[in-house]
């Protein structure tokens, strides 16, 4: 947590503590007069509790202000545990109050004293309940924002006050209106037991903080998943967490490739810290850098005999994101999985992962140290590796750029499509692809498999793209190919026509690669844009009319095609590879 963030949270906790002191003073005066007027043991118990509330609130105020004191030479981690100490002091006061009330109630059984002024006592209790409810609501708001354990203990204490005052009302009604003289001391004992239970609950969080208890397992897992998203990480171990007041601390050892320069390793650490700061703004993070394979820890195993952070020692944890590309809302565009690797795995393993994901494309990226190259990129369908995939490239750019807000563009080196670039744009991103202009070629078997009677033109590109142009948008939308026949050809089959709402409309079929119809295909537009540009100009719009559908902006710039579109991340997680 930064100093600015601390300054933001600290005044909130202080204001809550001051509100608690003011409330205790008000209730002390009110209940003191009511206890004197009614002679009720229950009201006396409520008065004693309020007196201790005042003392506890003063201690809370002191603890919160001390915890807010910046770290100094003798307290390098700050003074956050002062809140836990203040909370324990409150617990002792609550316990003492419970013992005193119980003892007074027991004496009342042997020497009962009449109670009077029920109306006044009940009125005072109602006022106290209303005032306390407002204080509790304010405290809960502050607790959500700061996580202050001292304010939490104070809140637990005041929750008991609501029941205390309710008990006073019931006791007075039973004693003076029903004639049950034993009601008042019985409720006094009930109040004492409730206070003792509240003291036990309030002590738990304070003791956990003083003993540096680890975060809950689900929070630890969330933290690790955010850290693991950054490409270049080879492993994480010795993950430790704790809380001190409203401050959270996390530290871990992070492994990177042994041949990285200090500067490159530092860049990875900085990116991880930025991601964690965004997702966990109240956490102060300390990262120790290790070369890959170097594990030096005395960190004991977690629940179940194995710490969640140490899973990396027995599984390769690959961050996974499922992204809808060329879509500005979920459930549209084309789905792609993006998975950053620390180094290339065997091709057979990459294909197995793509088959497990079972999406039209899985993009794998590996960070590069070479100048002018940010990542190496490859694409796999469930059936094979492909030469170019536009939507998975756009999704990869979204994955990298959304993980590091300091970047405005990212460059990918590919094996068959050269250098590709994704950059931020007002409406999402722009994607640069090579312009693969097709050449006329007769393809009667492909046309027959597509069930097209009279194409306007058929064209071919050597990367395996067949473009069939028809004269009506309706033909494109209503097309029903013979997928069995079409699957015999290792091609990307494109059917396109002029459109009404957009300049062109198309559909793309790839049954050979285990995808019958591709929802939105960026690489197909790398072929179509050079074809349509002489007719439509160098800038136009396109719609791919699949069931999911996707809109693109298209621009031809020399030997490059620039596509525009948005992306939406729908799933984030971790792929465990044995």
């Amino acid at each position: 947590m930064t100093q600015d963030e601390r300054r933001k949270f600290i005044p909130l906790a202080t204001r809550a503590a001051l509100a608690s002191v003011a409330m205790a003073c008000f209730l002390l005066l009110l209940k003191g007069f009511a206890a004197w007027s009614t002679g009720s043991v229950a009201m006396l118990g409520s008065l004693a509790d309020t007196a201790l509330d005042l003392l506890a609130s003063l201690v809370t105020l002191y603890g919160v202000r001390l915890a807010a004191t910046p770290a100094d030479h003798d307290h390098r981690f700050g003074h956050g545990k002062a809140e836990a100490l203040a909370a324990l002091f409150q617990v002792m006061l609550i316990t003492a109050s419970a013992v005193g009330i119980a003892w007074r109630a027991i004496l009342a059984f042997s020497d009962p004293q009449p109670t009077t002024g029920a109306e006044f006592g009940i009125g005072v209790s109602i006022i106290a309940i209303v005032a306390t409810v407002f204080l509790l609501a304010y405290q809960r708001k502050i607790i959500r924002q700061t996580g202050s354990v001292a304010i939490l203990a104070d809140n637990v204490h005041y929750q008991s006050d609501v029941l205390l005052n309710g008990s006073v009302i019931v006791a007075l009604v039973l004693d003076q209106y029903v004639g049950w003289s034993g009601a008042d001391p019985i409720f006094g004992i009930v109040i004492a037991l409730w206070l003792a239970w509240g003291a036990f609950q309030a002590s738990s969080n304070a003791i956990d903080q003083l003993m540096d208890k680890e975060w809950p397992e689900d929070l630890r897992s969330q933290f690790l998943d955010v850290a693991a998203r950054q490409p270049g990480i080879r492993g994480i171990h010795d993950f430790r967490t704790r809380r001190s007041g409203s401050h959270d601390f996390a530290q871990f050892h992070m492994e990177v490739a042994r041949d990285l320069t200090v500067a490159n390793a530092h860049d990875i650490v900085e990116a991880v810290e930025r991601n964690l700061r965004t997702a966990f703004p109240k956490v102060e993070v300390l990262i120790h850098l290790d070369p890959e394979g170097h594990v030096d820890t005395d960190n004991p195993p977690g629940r179940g005999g194995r710490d969640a952070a140490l899973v990396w020692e027995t599984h390769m944890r690959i961050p996974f994101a499922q992204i809808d590309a060329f879509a500005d809302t979920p459930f549209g565009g084309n789905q792609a999985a993006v998975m950053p690797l620390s180094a290339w795995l065997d091709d057979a393993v990459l294909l197995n992962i793509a088959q497990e994901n079972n999406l039209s494309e899985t993009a794998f990226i590996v960070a590069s140290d070479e100048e002018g190259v940010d990542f190496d990129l490859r694409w796999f369908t469930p059936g094979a590796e492909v030469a170019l995939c536009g939507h998975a490239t756009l999704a990869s750019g979204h994955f990298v750029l959304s993980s590091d807000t300091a970047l405005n563009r990212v460059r990918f080196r590919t094996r068959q499509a050269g250098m590709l670039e994704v950059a931020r744009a007002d409406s999402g991103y722009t994607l640069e692809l090579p312009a693969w202009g097709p050449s006329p070629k007769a393809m009667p078997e492909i046309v027959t498999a597509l069930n097209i009677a009279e194409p306007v033109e058929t064209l071919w590109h050597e990367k395996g793209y067949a473009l069939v142009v028809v004269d009506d948008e309706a033909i494109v939308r209503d097309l029903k190919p013979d997928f069995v026949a079409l699957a015999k050809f290792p091609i990307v089959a494109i059917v396109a026509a002029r459109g009404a709402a957009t300049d062109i409309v198309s559909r793309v079929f790839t049954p050979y690669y285990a995808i019958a119809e591709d929802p939105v295909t960026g690489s197909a537009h790398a072929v179509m844009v050079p074809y349509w540009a002489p007719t439509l100009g160098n800038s136009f719009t396109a719609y791919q009319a699949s069931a999911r559908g996707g809109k693109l902006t298209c621009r031809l710039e020399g030997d490059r095609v620039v596509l525009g579109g948005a992306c939406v991340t729908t799933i984030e997680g971790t792929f465990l590879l044995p």
Side-chain angles (χ1 to χ4, degrees):
M1 183 188 295
T2 65
Q3 289 296 327
D4 288 341
E5 288 164 341
R6 286 199 178 99
R7 283 191 288 270
K8 173 184 175 183
F9 292 130
I10 288 162
L12 294 175
T14 302
R15 287 201 293 268
L18 287 171
S20 178
V21 171
M23 180 63 69
C25 290
F26 168 70
L27 294 179
L28 185 67
L29 294 174
L30 193 65
K31 291 182 181 180
F33 184 67
W36 176 76
S37 300
T38 63
S40 167
V41 174
M43 179 61 77
L44 181 63
S46 183
L47 171 65
D49 180 65
T50 300
L52 292 176
D53 281 349
L54 176 58
L55 181 57
S57 296
L58 289 170
V59 172
T60 297
L61 177 61
Y62 174 75
V64 167
R65 292 181 65 84
L66 179 60
T69 306
D72 55 34
H73 182 272
D74 294 325
H75 306 88
R76 298 298 177 94
F77 286 98
H79 302 79
K81 290 188 178 181
E83 285 196 25
L85 293 172
L88 284 181
F89 182 78
Q90 288 196 55
V91 168
M92 290 188 290
L93 292 179
I94 295 170
T95 303
S97 174
V99 171
I101 292 170
W103 178 249
R104 181 68 182 85
I106 292 171
L107 292 178
F109 276 118
S110 59
D111 184 21
Q113 298 294 325
T115 60
T116 60
E119 297 84 357
F120 181 68
I122 291 171
V124 166
S125 296
I126 291 174
I127 293 172
I129 288 173
V130 172
T132 304
V133 166
F134 279 106
L135 176 64
L136 288 173
Y138 179 64
Q139 285 182 326
R140 280 194 294 269
K141 177 182 177 182
I142 300 302
I143 292 167
R144 283 194 300 269
Q145 294 177 279
T146 67
S148 170
V149 68
I151 301 300
L152 177 62
D154 210 31
N155 184 263
V156 170
H157 197 175
Y158 276 102
Q159 287 178 42
S160 68
D161 277 5
V162 174
L163 292 179
L164 281 170
N165 287 295
S167 300
V168 169
I169 293 173
V170 175
L172 288 172
V173 168
L174 292 175
D175 188 77
Q176 295 192 32
Y177 295 108
V178 179
W180 186 17
S181 59
D184 188 51
I186 287 175
F187 274 91
I189 291 175
V190 171
I191 289 170
L193 292 174
W194 175 259
L195 285 174
W197 173 247
F200 174 77
Q201 288 184 310
S203 66
S204 178
N205 284 333
I207 292 174
D208 285 347
Q209 282 200 19
L210 291 173
M211 296 297 293
D212 287 335
K213 183 178 179 179
E214 288 287 331
W215 295 350
E217 288 300 323
D218 59 341
L219 184 59
R220 287 169 56 83
S221 296
Q222 292 172 25
F223 189 91
L224 281 176
D225 285 341
V226 172
R229 292 176 194 166
Q230 180 61 35
I233 298 179
R234 298 293 180 91
I236 289 177
H237 63 272
D238 202 9
F239 176 42
R240 308 182 187 212
T241 60
R242 65 185 181 90
R243 165 165 283 194
S244 178
S246 59
H247 312 317
D248 285 325
F249 297 87
Q251 64 184 59
F252 57 86
H253 289 223
M254 186 176 80
E255 299 176 47
V256 297
R258 289 178 172 270
D259 57 355
L260 281 184
T261 65
V262 173
N264 289 334
H266 181 264
D267 289 341
I268 295 175
V269 172
E270 287 284 304
V272 172
E273 288 178 341
R274 281 196 298 269
N275 294 341
L276 291 171
R277 192 178 303 119
T278 300
F280 300 90
K282 294 196 293 181
V283 178
E284 185 171 311
V285 180
L286 176 63
I287 301 175
H288 177 86
L289 206 58
D290 279 333
E292 183 179 11
H294 181 80
V295 178
D296 52 345
T297 178
D298 58 356
N299 200 9
R303 297 180 181 89
R306 184 178 67 186
D307 194 296
L310 300 182
V311 173
W312 282 28
E313 295 179 8
T314 54
H315 293 82
M316 177 181 290
R317 293 173 60 98
I318 306 175
F320 169 95
Q322 183 170 312
I323 297 167
D324 290 347
F326 296 113
D328 52 12
T329 59
F331 317 120
N334 201 353
Q335 301 161 298
V338 180
M339 302 180 68
L341 303 173
S342 55
W344 288 116
L345 305 174
D346 290 341
D347 288 3
V349 175
L350 297 179
L351 183 58
N352 285 338
I353 293 173
Q355 291 171 345
E356 183 73 17
N357 292 338
N358 198 31
L359 298 172
S360 60
E361 297 287 346
T362 295
F364 298 97
I365 59 175
V366 175
S368 173
D369 296 330
E370 296 186 24
E371 186 176 356
V373 180
D374 298 310
F375 294 90
D376 287 297
L377 170 63
R378 296 173 69 184
W379 313 272
F380 283 77
T381 73
E385 183 174 9
V386 297
L388 173 63
C389 181
H391 86 274
T393 304
L394 190 72
S396 299
H398 169 74
F399 178 86
V400 174
L401 295 175
S402 62
S403 299
D404 191 345
T405 56
L407 295 177
N408 289 318
R409 64 184 64 243
V410 57
R411 289 175 61 82
F412 297 103
R413 178 173 57 192
T414 70
R415 297 192 173 190
Q416 299 185 54
M419 294 296 300
L420 308 178
E421 180 177 285
V422 177
R424 298 185 191 275
D426 293 338
S427 58
Y429 304 98
T430 58
L431 165 65
E432 280 195 15
L433 301 175
W436 284 352
S439 302
K441 180 180 179 180
M443 298 177 289
E445 292 179 323
I446 294 173
V447 171
T448 300
L450 288 168
N451 284 326
I452 296 175
E454 297 182 3
V456 173
E457 192 172 5
T458 59
L459 305 101
W460 174 257
H461 188 274
E462 62 182 7
K463 294 295 185 180
Y465 288 77
L467 172 59
V468 180
V469 181
V470 296
D471 61 2
D472 192 336
E473 176 181 345
I475 296 175
V476 176
R477 292 181 177 273
D478 297 338
L479 197 62
K480 295 180 180 179
D482 181 347
F483 289 113
V484 174
L486 195 59
K488 298 175 182 178
F489 304 100
I491 63 168
V492 176
I494 310 165
V495 182
R498 291 289 302 270
T502 57
D503 293 308
I504 61 171
V505 174
S506 66
R507 290 174 68 187
V508 177
F509 307 99
T510 56
Y512 179 86
Y513 297 103
I515 302 295
E517 180 173 3
D518 199 37
V520 189
T521 316
S523 62
H525 290 78
V527 175
M528 287 189 287
V529 170
Y531 171 81
W532 288 105
T535 303
L536 301 175
N538 287 344
S539 182
F540 52 89
T541 59
Y543 179 72
Q544 191 159 328
S546 64
R548 292 175 65 90
K551 296 180 179 179
L552 306 84
T553 61
C554 306
R555 190 169 71 250
L556 182 63
E557 293 185 354
D559 62 351
R560 309 294 286 177
V561 168
V562 181
L563 304 178
C567 288
V568 181
T569 301
T570 57
I571 300 175
E572 289 183 340
T574 304
F575 192 106
L576 297 182
L577 184 67

